[in-house]
Amino acid sequence: MEPKIGGRLKHYRILHGMSMREVAEHAGITEGYVSKVENDKVRPSLATLHRIAVALKTNISELFSNPDNSGQLVWVIKSEERPMMKFGGPRNGDGVHLERISPVYPGFLLQANVHVVQPGGGSDECISHVGQEVGMVLEGCLELFVNDEVHKLSAGDAFAFDSQHDHRYRNPGKEVTKVVWVNSPPTF
């Protein structure tokens, strides 16, 4: 299940009284690209969507949020119904999609996803934000870049770091990599 987010982006832009040009300037992209994203004509990369969300004073998690179900005692979603977030497009894809494994609603303090990274895929540039991250490689291998350090991880290896450090990752292997990745607070 792949939700469309263009309408939500446009809603946040209008809510904050911003023009497409202003969003484009804050996010380092063109006004035309903002229009294409808002009309669900292109899927931005993870890093680009992060910059757009910051420009709109929100986070990626909120853009993909499900209806408020904060009153539920337990949130359960079957694997075949798990929301998927894809980034990039056929020409500029970064080979990553996220499968949400945590609910998204106001007041929920964690965000958890399974990052599915194709061989050679990864985040296209460094990001940094408030919070902390922890994860574990389920399958495959991962190179995790935090500031100037490179960490080579294999299935079963875990990691944790403060999110304000520049960070990105990539799959240097020949097999698909799957990583359980948890952020607090929700940032994308």
Side-chain angles (χ1 to χ4, degrees), residues 57-78:
K57 299 173 182 61
T58 188
N59 59 56
I60 294 173
S61 185
E62 185 66 29
L63 296 173
F64 288 90
S65 67
N66 45 303
D68 183 9
N69 53 1
S70 57
Q72 288 182 245
L73 182 59
V74 177
W75 185 80
V76 174
I77 189 158
K78 299 293 187 178

Side-chain angles (χ1 to χ4, degrees), residues 1-187:
M1 176 185 331
E2 185 182 338
K4 304 245 184 232
I5 60 162
R8 286 189 180 192
L9 286 170
K10 185 174 183 177
H11 171 78
Y12 277 103
R13 180 176 61 75
I14 293 169
L15 184 69
H16 292 295
M18 297 177 76
S19 67
M20 280 193 258
R21 178 173 296 189
E22 290 170 314
V23 172
E25 288 172 2
H26 285 286
I29 55 179
T30 67
E31 186 176 350
Y33 193 77
V34 172
S35 175
K36 288 178 182 178
V37 172
E38 284 188 0
N39 289 296
D40 292 310
K41 300 290 184 198
V42 297
R43 286 190 312 244
S45 69
L46 179 59
T48 300
L49 187 57
H50 178 72
R51 290 194 316 270
I52 293 170
V54 168
L56 296 172
K57 299 173 182 61
T58 188
N59 59 56
I60 294 173
S61 185
E62 185 66 29
L63 296 173
F64 288 90
S65 67
N66 45 303
D68 183 9
N69 53 1
S70 57
Q72 288 182 245
L73 182 59
V74 177
W75 185 80
V76 174
I77 189 158
K78 299 293 187 178
S79 62
E80 65 275 4
E81 298 169 351
R82 189 168 29 244
M84 236 187 292
M85 298 176 270
K86 293 186 178 181
F87 306 97
R91 291 183 302 200
N92 68 342
D94 53 10
V96 177
H97 76 263
L98 307 183
E99 298 177 6
R100 182 179 302 137
I101 58 174
S102 65
V104 178
Y105 54 79
F108 199 76
L109 302 176
L110 297 174
Q111 170 189 320
N113 296 293
V114 174
H115 290 229
V116 180
V117 190
Q118 298 301 315
S123 50
D124 58 349
E125 59 188 80
C126 285
I127 62 172
S128 62
H129 47 85
V130 173
Q132 296 176 321
E133 304 186 30
V134 63
M136 186 174 89
V137 178
L138 300 175
E139 298 175 14
C141 58
L142 188 79
E143 287 182 336
L144 176 63
F145 302 83
V146 179
N147 287 342
D148 296 327
E149 296 180 5
V150 180
H151 302 273
K152 297 178 187 286
L153 305 167
S154 300
D157 294 344
F159 59 87
F161 60 91
D162 287 327
S163 306
Q164 81 270 5
H165 298 294
D166 287 339
H167 56 280
R168 68 181 180 90
Y169 61 89
R170 75 179 202 94
N171 175 356
K174 296 183 191 284
E175 305 292 327
V176 171
T177 295
K178 293 185 178 183
V179 182
V180 171
W181 206 301
V182 181
N183 295 56
S184 181
T187 52

